[in-house]
């Protein structure tokens, strides 16, 4: 029961007791008063009748006696008159049938008033004529008592309702700060730190609100410091201090994560020997300033073509990782890269198209980090040897389809539900049992089963993500995959679906009509959060309100603040696979620990991904992780019903 209801109930009981006490006192006083009044009336009536009967008794006029008795009956509430002549002992009794008007019979049956009798001797001088006994009827008492009690109950009822109404309104006003404090406490429990509460006038509540504001401010500062710690560790361990670009370690881990997911794109290696001339002519300070300006220009010009990761991997070598791009877009990226570098070369007083070389290796098939780095380096050495600005690594692997063929075949396969499914268990770290399963899909094109790594890049390029996600979710539901196990099933959403408000409306309708939404999880890549936070918040609110769950994939990959976690409040986060590949050292452990602490501090489960063998998992044993995922427990095919 709420505090408001407890106080309200207490006031209700106290007021009821007060009313009952007043009613009891009023009842007793009224009963006593009416009893005395009836006794007084009976005495007066007995005395008056005795005087009036003297002449009739002396003359023996029974008619006159009868008349006087009837007059008395008609004038008041009298039940019986008994007259006894003392001379001969003759006795006469008159009874009066009285019906009390406007008083319910059950009230009369309560027996509140007892019949009252008065006996008197009628005399004439010293001669005793007769003895008269008058019995009063309590009808007058019942009539007056009912009238008084009815009026009292009405007045008390009105006062009671008015008092209760004022108590409710008054309590609502008095306890309003307490209600606001309760809501504020719930937000703090959910790690949502808004502005401080206004201080109320009530002394006790004022102190309580001030204490809560202080606690909220301190917790907010703690989480802010954790976020700052993550940023500082990233800058210390994964950022080149001269250019403020990611370093070689980050780039290698990022390539590992890129190759482990369905994706497309290329790796550019650039060697800029002209920076050495700047160093020899102007010194290392001018060289470092030139590198810093070059990094800013590269970001400005290349981000307009396609997002990429730019890293400084050696003194005069840079790496450019371009994801989710076709060959034509890579060519445009290369042209912008050459144009930007030439501008900076000219500013440094060097000749354009000289003293810098570019090697490009496009991703194809199943590759690992060593493969693509070797291909890009071979292309770079070939460019240097042939004295050319750039060289593409020759890839003899032929594309399956051109763009139009991909569009037609993918659209047909999606619309006709040509899906095959696999899922991979996510294992609880303590019990080593599945706590969730991540779903992977395959498509059949021209009789061939293609895994996600072969067709997902074209899904994104051709903007078929929303169509794929809708058909995929419907197919999973149709085959009852959500009901196969008790643990939830996680589905990765494409970037297009996350930003598509029509998809938001569709998923809202789907979840509200699903009988077990709690068994459905949706995974949102961290890059989507940074690119369109408003759309992510809208989608996450829909998922949470519908009873389903969601998590953040690739957590910690982006170089940005973790403050979005407080707004989205995901059920879990998946550490980016790059953390499983970063070389083990104290600094990297500190960074990983800081990321975990940020999530744990917000009561968010943490799942480590990319675990291939027990030795990798052992490195995370002291970080209090909730679960792990990777080819240590590979995906398995799902047999559709």
């Amino acid at each position: 029961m709420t505090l408001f209801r407890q106080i309200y109930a207490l006031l209700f009981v106290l007021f009821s007791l007060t009313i009952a006490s007043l009613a009891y006192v009023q009842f007793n006083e009224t009963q006593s008063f009416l009893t005395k009044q009836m006794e007084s009336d009976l005495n007066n009536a007995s005395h008056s009748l005795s005087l009036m009967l003297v002449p009739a008794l002396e003359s023996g006029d029974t008619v006159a006696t009868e008349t006087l008795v009837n007059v008395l009956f008609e004038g008041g509430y009298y039940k019986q008159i008994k007259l006894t002549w003392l001379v001969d002992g003759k006795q006469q009794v008159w009874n009066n049938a009285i019906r009390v008007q406007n008083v319910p019979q059950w009230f009369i049956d309560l027996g509140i008033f007892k019949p009252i009798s008065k006996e008197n001797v009628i005399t004439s001088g010293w001669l005793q004529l007769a003895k008269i006994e008058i019995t009063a009827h309590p009808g007058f008492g019942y009539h007056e008592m009912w009238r008084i009690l009815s009026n009292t109950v009405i007045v008390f009822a009105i006062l009671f309702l008015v008092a209760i109404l004022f108590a409710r309104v008054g309590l609502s006003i008095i306890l309003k700060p307490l209600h606001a404090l309760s809501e504020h406490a719930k937000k703090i429990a959910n790690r949502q730190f808004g502005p401080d509460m206004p201080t109320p006038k009530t002394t006790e509540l004022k102190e309580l609100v001030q204490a809560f504001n202080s606690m909220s401010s301190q917790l907010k500062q703690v989480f802010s410091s954790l976020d700052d710690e993550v940023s500082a560790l990233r800058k210390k361990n994964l950022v080149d201090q001269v250019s403020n670009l990611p370093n070689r370690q980050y780039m290698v881990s990022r390539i590992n994560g890129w190759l482990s997911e369905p994706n497309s794109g290329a790796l550019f290696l650039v060697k800029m020997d002209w920076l050495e001339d700047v160093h020899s002519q102007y010194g290392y300070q001018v060289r470092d300033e030139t590198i810093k300006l070059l990094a800013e220009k590269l970001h400005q010009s290349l981000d307009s073509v396609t997002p990429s990761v730019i890293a400084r991997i050696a003194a005069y070598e840079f790496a450019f990782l371009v994801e989710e791009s076709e060959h034509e877009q890579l060519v445009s990226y290369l042209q912008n890269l050459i144009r930007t570098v030439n501008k900076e070369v000219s500013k440094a007083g060097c000749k354009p198209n000289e003293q810098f070389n570019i090697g490009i290796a496009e991703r194809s098939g199943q590759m690992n980090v060593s493969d693509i780095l070797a291909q890009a380096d071979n292309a770079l050495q070939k460019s240097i040897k042939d004295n050319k600005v750039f060289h593409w690594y020759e890839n003899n692997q032929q594309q399956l389809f051109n763009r139009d063929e991909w569009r037609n075949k993918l659209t047909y396969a999606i619309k006709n539900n040509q899906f095959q499914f696999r899922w991979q268990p996510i294992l609880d770290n303590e019990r080593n049992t599945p706590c969730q399963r991540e779903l992977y899909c395959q498509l059949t094109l021209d009789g061939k089963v293609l895994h996600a790594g072969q067709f997902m890049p074209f899904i994104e390029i051709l903007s078929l993500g929303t169509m794929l996600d809708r058909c995929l979710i419907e197919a999973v539901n149709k085959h009852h995959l959500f009901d196969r196990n008790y643990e939830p099933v996680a589905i990765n959403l494409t970037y297009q679906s996350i930003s598509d408000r029509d998809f938001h409306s569709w998923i809202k309708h789907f979840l509200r009509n699903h009988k077990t939404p709690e068994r459905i999880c949706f995974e949102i890549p961290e890059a989507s959060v940074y690119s369109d936070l408003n759309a992510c918040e809208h989608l996450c609110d829909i998922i949470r309100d519908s009873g389903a769950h969601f998590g953040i994939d690739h957590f910690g990959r982006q170089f940005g603040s973790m403050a979005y976690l407080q707004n989205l409040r995901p059920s879990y986060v998946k550490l980016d696979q790059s953390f499983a590949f970063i070389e083990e050292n104290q600094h990297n452990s500190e960074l990983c620990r800081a990321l975990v602490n940020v999530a744990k501090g917000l009561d968010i489960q943490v799942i480590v991904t990319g675990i291939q063998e027990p030795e990798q998992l052992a490195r995370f044993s002291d970080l209090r992780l909730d679960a792990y995922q990777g080819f240590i427990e590979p995906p398995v095919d799902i047999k559709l019903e």
Side-chain angles (χ1 to χ4, degrees):
M1 184 183 290
T2 62
L3 179 62
F4 175 84
R5 290 184 177 179
Q6 290 179 357
I7 297 176
Y8 192 67
L10 178 62
L11 292 177
F12 182 88
V13 171
L14 291 176
F15 194 78
S16 299
L17 289 175
T18 303
I19 294 291
S21 301
L22 291 174
Y24 178 75
V25 172
Q26 177 72 14
F27 176 81
N28 287 335
E29 291 294 325
T30 303
Q31 183 189 30
S32 177
F33 171 77
L34 291 175
T35 300
K36 290 179 180 179
Q37 186 175 354
M38 287 190 294
E39 289 176 351
S40 177
D41 289 344
L42 182 60
N43 287 333
N44 293 334
S46 177
H47 182 70
S48 298
L49 184 60
S50 296
L51 292 176
M52 289 188 292
L53 285 176
V54 170
L57 293 176
E58 288 177 339
S59 60
D61 190 351
T62 57
V63 176
T65 301
E66 184 91 22
T67 301
L68 290 173
V69 169
N70 290 333
V71 170
L72 183 65
F73 279 152
E74 291 177 359
Y77 287 90
Y78 302 102
K79 183 179 181 181
Q80 186 184 75
I81 297 177
K82 184 188 294 184
L83 184 65
T84 305
W85 281 265
L86 297 177
V87 177
D88 54 6
K90 180 183 176 181
Q91 190 178 68
Q92 190 172 359
V93 179
W94 291 272
N95 291 307
N96 184 25
I98 298 177
R99 185 174 182 83
V100 183
Q101 301 293 327
N102 301 322
V103 178
Q105 185 60 40
W106 63 266
F107 187 71
I108 297 174
D109 294 339
L110 293 176
I112 299 173
F113 298 100
K114 303 299 180 182
I116 306 172
S117 297
K118 177 66 177 177
E119 189 176 277
N120 197 16
V121 178
I122 302 173
T123 62
S124 176
W126 293 101
L127 180 64
Q128 293 182 338
L129 300 176
K131 183 172 67 175
I132 187 169
E133 182 182 358
I134 303 175
T135 302
H137 192 283
F140 171 77
Y142 284 114
H143 186 276
E144 290 301 309
M145 178 66 83
W146 178 255
R147 181 183 63 81
I148 293 171
L149 288 181
S150 298
N151 292 337
T152 302
V153 167
I154 292 173
V155 172
F156 278 4
I158 294 174
L159 289 176
F160 184 80
L161 292 175
V162 171
I164 289 297
L165 180 63
F166 273 98
R168 186 176 185 85
V169 174
L171 280 176
S172 299
I173 296 173
I174 294 172
L175 297 180
K176 187 176 181 181
L178 197 59
H179 176 72
L181 189 64
S182 173
E183 295 298 320
H184 194 67
K186 291 178 182 177
K187 290 182 178 180
I188 293 177
N190 291 327
R191 277 67 171 179
Q192 294 176 291
F193 308 106
D196 288 347
M197 292 178 58
T199 305
K201 297 180 180 179
T202 308
T203 304
E204 292 81 359
L205 293 179
K206 181 179 180 180
E207 294 175 354
L208 191 59
V209 167
Q210 288 175 343
F212 260 85
N213 285 339
S214 176
M215 180 179 67
S216 176
S217 177
Q218 292 177 17
L219 287 174
K220 186 177 181 180
Q221 187 175 358
V222 168
F223 289 116
S224 178
S225 64
L226 283 175
D227 196 10
D228 293 341
E229 181 184 356
V230 170
S231 299
L233 288 172
R234 279 174 171 166
K235 187 173 183 180
K236 179 180 179 181
N237 301 323
L238 302 178
V239 175
D240 176 66
Q241 301 302 312
V242 175
S243 63
N244 288 327
L245 295 173
N247 59 19
R248 182 183 185 88
Q249 183 177 343
Y250 176 80
M251 177 57 79
V252 171
S253 64
R254 184 65 181 267
I255 293 173
N256 251 315
W258 171 57
L259 294 175
S260 64
E261 301 165 2
N263 223 317
S264 61
L267 176 66
F268 293 66
L269 291 183
V270 183
K271 193 169 187 297
M272 302 190 186
D273 291 331
W274 61 277
L275 290 172
E276 189 173 0
D277 289 349
V278 173
H279 182 196
S280 61
Q281 293 182 29
Y282 306 106
Y284 74 93
Q285 291 181 331
V286 175
R287 180 204 63 185
D288 290 350
E289 188 64 29
T290 302
I291 291 174
K292 185 179 296 185
L293 292 174
L294 174 63
E296 293 175 359
K297 294 296 182 181
L298 289 172
H299 268 302
Q300 292 174 6
S301 61
L302 298 179
D303 285 349
S304 61
V305 179
T306 184
S308 60
V309 181
I310 306 174
R312 186 187 181 205
I313 59 176
Y316 305 120
E317 289 188 18
F318 294 77
F320 300 77
L321 179 60
V322 185
E323 303 174 346
E324 300 176 5
S325 298
E326 290 183 290
H327 185 78
E328 292 78 6
Q329 199 169 17
L330 295 174
V331 171
S332 177
Y333 188 91
L334 174 62
Q335 292 171 349
N336 272 270
L337 173 60
I338 295 172
R339 187 161 48 248
T340 303
V341 174
N342 274 328
K343 287 181 180 178
E344 299 307 309
V345 167
S346 299
K347 290 179 183 179
C350 302
K351 294 182 180 180
N353 293 327
E354 292 185 6
Q355 292 185 288
F356 76 91
N357 301 92
I358 305 173
I360 310 106
E362 287 190 69
R363 177 176 174 176
S364 60
Q366 297 294 325
M367 306 178 72
N368 56 36
V369 177
S370 300
D371 294 335
I372 197 163
L373 284 174
Q375 291 180 8
D377 187 63
N378 288 339
L380 177 62
Q381 298 305 320
K382 181 68 173 175
S383 171
I384 296 172
K385 181 179 178 180
D386 295 344
N387 197 26
K388 294 181 178 179
V389 175
F390 66 90
H391 181 78
W392 292 82
Y393 182 82
E394 295 182 3
N395 189 350
N396 298 324
Q397 185 174 353
Q398 189 175 2
Q399 290 290 335
L400 290 175
F401 313 109
N402 59 38
R403 178 189 281 259
D404 290 336
E405 289 174 336
W406 271 115
R407 182 185 297 278
N408 294 333
K409 293 180 183 296
L410 286 173
T411 303
Y412 179 83
I414 293 171
K415 287 184 176 180
N416 288 276
N417 291 326
Q418 295 180 343
F419 295 107
Q420 294 184 15
F421 297 104
R422 309 178 78 198
W423 57 22
Q424 184 178 38
I426 298 171
L427 302 177
D428 184 272
N429 215 25
E430 293 184 359
R431 297 184 294 271
N432 207 36
T433 56
C435 61
Q436 190 185 110
R437 296 179 187 272
E438 183 173 355
L439 195 70
Y440 301 107
C441 76
Q442 299 172 328
L443 279 177
T444 303
L445 301 181
D446 291 349
K448 297 180 180 179
V449 178
L450 302 184
H451 59 80
Q454 293 173 285
F455 66 82
M456 278 305 298
F458 296 96
I459 291 289
E460 296 287 355
I461 292 169
L462 299 172
S463 299
L464 298 174
T466 300
M467 178 190 296
L468 174 69
D469 286 342
R470 287 185 59 167
C471 293
L472 174 64
I473 294 170
E474 288 175 343
V476 171
N477 190 50
K478 176 182 177 182
H479 294 292
H480 307 289
L481 298 188
F482 295 123
D483 304 324
R484 291 271 184 102
N485 303 280
Y486 287 107
E487 57 267 16
V489 176
I491 298 176
N492 291 278
L493 295 178
T494 60
Y495 292 94
Q496 185 183 0
S497 295
I498 294 169
S499 301
D500 189 346
R501 293 304 174 106
D502 290 335
F503 177 80
H504 294 185
S505 301
W506 178 85
I507 201 67
K508 181 177 182 180
H509 180 268
F510 173 83
L511 291 174
R512 286 189 173 180
N513 289 278
H514 199 274
K515 60 181 180 181
T516 55
E518 67 278 1
R519 293 187 183 178
I520 306 175
C521 291
F522 296 100
E523 295 193 353
I524 299 171
E526 190 180 54
S528 293
V529 177
Y530 285 106
S531 62
D532 196 347
L533 180 58
N534 291 333
C536 287
E537 287 180 346
H538 185 258
L539 178 60
C540 292
D541 288 341
I542 290 173
I543 296 172
R544 186 188 303 106
D545 295 342
S546 300
H549 306 282
F550 68 92
I552 302 299
D553 202 6
H554 313 313
F555 178 65
R557 172 181 290 186
Q558 307 297 317
F559 278 7
S561 171
M562 303 285 105
Y564 70 84
L565 291 175
Q566 294 187 30
N567 297 329
L568 297 184
R569 290 179 290 129
S571 301
Y572 61 91
V573 294
K574 286 186 173 180
L575 284 174
D576 188 60
Q577 290 193 22
S578 59
F579 288 101
F581 297 104
I582 292 179
E583 297 177 1
E584 183 177 6
N585 59 57
Q586 182 179 357
H587 297 310
N588 295 331
S589 298
E590 290 175 357
L591 175 58
C592 198
R593 186 184 302 276
L595 283 169
V596 172
N597 287 339
V598 169
K600 286 288 187 179
L602 296 171
D603 198 25
I604 298 171
Q605 291 186 330
V606 181
I607 301 171
V608 61
T609 61
I611 301 299
Q612 312 291 350
E613 50 193 18
E615 289 74 14
Q616 275 183 306
L617 182 61
R619 287 168 43 194
F620 298 92
S621 59
D622 62 338
L623 295 183
R624 299 182 300 115
L625 300 177
D626 297 284
Y628 62 94
Q629 177 187 10
F631 273 82
I632 192 172
E633 190 72 29
V636 295
D637 294 330
I638 303 174
K639 185 178 180 181
L640 300 180
E641 297 176 353

